[in-house]
Amino acid sequence: MAVRASGPPPGRPKAGAASVGGSAAAQRQAWGPTIWLFDLDDTLHDAANASMPGIHEAMNVYMQRELRLTPEAAAALRRTYWKRYGATLLGLVRHHGVKAAHFLHDTHRLPGLEERVSGHRHDLAAIARLRGRKIVLTNAPRAYALRVLCALRVEHLFEAVLSIESMTMFGQLRPKPDKRMLCALCARLRVHPRRCLLVEDTLTHQKSARAIGMRTAWLMRYVRARAVAARPAAGRPAYVDHRLSTLRGLSKVRQPTFRKGPRALFQ
């Protein structure tokens, strides 16, 4: 397998990890090629057709069985937890004592997934041409993420896959859009957040990333209809640096520049 293990989960961010000072160590963290952080579903592939219907149905069935809910109540609770926490799993863990590993395994079996996975050839080729480190950062479980990447035949393009299992801090899951997890990720990579660019379809994740200093790219290819319906006249939110219709647009993203001095700032 070309995708290397993601290593130990992120720990406590180093003090001052999100600020750039005049020290040589801080400037080394701040200067260098972009760290490309790619979401998986509806970013690298068309999850709305390949996997999301099956995952949502499996979650509903799981919640009906484990929590003894009606189909209607299970579907409503799933949507409530997703809106409140950014991941249905967090609500189930916090309020119902569900074991994360059991839930993830049970809801992501998805027979025939590989036959349904599809991406755009030119988009995926554009990723290969990007300069810098490339990492998949997904709230999906690792086994599912690897199945998708292998089906797309792009697993060799990424340095690591950081899945929801890697997003544990102090014994608690902290998936996107948790800012503490994103800060810890930068500390783990030993880079200033400004060197990272999060490529995502989900605006709440982009907002958190921008809040800690990451750059953001909102990919519209697979979610254009619902995104335009939600924000018909807004263009792009202030926390989105780049609005892209395809991943090929990433080739036009400029590398961050760095001004040296006692109060060094990104431009």
Side-chain angles (χ1 to χ4, degrees):
M1 179 63 64
V3 180
R4 295 196 291 274
S6 57
R12 183 188 299 271
K14 295 180 180 179
S19 62
V20 182
S23 71
Q27 293 189 15
R28 282 196 299 272
Q29 289 185 354
W31 176 253
T34 294
I35 312 296
W36 306 92
L37 302 175
F38 287 91
D39 180 44
L40 180 68
D41 290 331
D42 285 332
T43 298
L44 297 182
H45 79 115
D46 187 2
N49 289 319
S51 56
M52 282 303 162
I55 292 172
H56 291 165
E57 178 59 25
M59 288 182 178
N60 290 343
V61 171
Y62 182 94
M63 294 168 70
Q64 292 171 48
R65 185 184 69 238
E66 299 295 324
L67 306 183
R68 300 184 183 277
L69 298 175
T70 65
E72 296 77 14
L77 189 62
R78 173 178 60 78
R79 290 190 294 267
T80 296
Y81 285 160
W82 186 85
K83 290 178 181 178
R84 182 182 301 175
Y85 298 113
T88 300
L89 173 58
L90 288 189
L92 295 176
V93 170
R94 292 180 183 181
H95 301 293
H96 306 279
V98 166
K99 300 297 184 184
H102 183 254
F103 173 84
L104 293 171
H105 172 75
D106 202 84
T107 57
H108 288 77
R109 296 179 182 179
L110 300 173
L113 170 66
E114 287 77 5
E115 287 70 36
R116 297 188 299 273
V117 169
S118 64
H120 286 262
R121 179 169 55 88
H122 296 296
D123 274 5
L124 300 176
I127 295 175
R129 294 192 294 269
L130 292 175
R131 176 173 171 258
R133 300 165 69 182
K134 287 160 275 192
I135 296 169
V136 173
L137 185 67
T138 175
N139 282 359
R142 182 174 178 80
Y144 163 82
L146 292 179
R147 288 175 67 189
V148 170
L149 294 173
C150 289
L152 292 170
R153 298 183 180 179
V154 295
E155 72 276 9
H156 61 286
L157 298 180
F158 298 99
E159 172 184 323
V161 175
L162 300 180
S163 60
I164 193 167
E165 296 95 333
S166 302
M167 300 176 186
T168 300
M169 298 179 64
F170 311 113
Q172 293 186 329
L173 283 173
R174 302 286 187 190
K176 296 180 292 185
D178 193 282
K179 296 174 187 175
R180 291 161 293 186
M181 181 275 294
L182 294 173
C183 286
L185 172 61
C186 293
R188 172 177 168 180
L189 296 173
R190 297 185 178 182
V191 298
H192 188 276
R194 190 65 176 163
R195 278 187 54 195
C196 297
L197 192 150
L198 179 65
V199 185
E200 266 271 3
D201 66 291
T202 304
L203 285 175
T204 54
H205 298 174
Q206 301 242 328
K207 188 174 184 179
S208 289
R210 196 69 180 84
I212 71 160
M214 288 184 177
R215 293 171 292 148
T216 57
W218 185 23
L219 183 68
M220 305 289 291
R221 180 186 282 282
Y222 299 114
V223 296
R224 181 181 299 274
R226 74 169 186 259
V228 171
R231 306 183 64 86
R236 63 178 173 87
Y239 51 82
V240 171
D241 294 307
H242 308 279
R243 175 173 168 167
L244 307 175
S245 58
T246 72
L247 289 174
R248 282 172 284 179
L250 291 174
S251 63
K252 299 178 182 179
V253 174
R254 297 176 61 185
Q255 298 286 330
T257 57
F258 184 69
R259 180 180 299 163
K260 295 182 180 180
R263 296 182 61 83
L265 296 171
F266 279 101
Q267 297 175 320

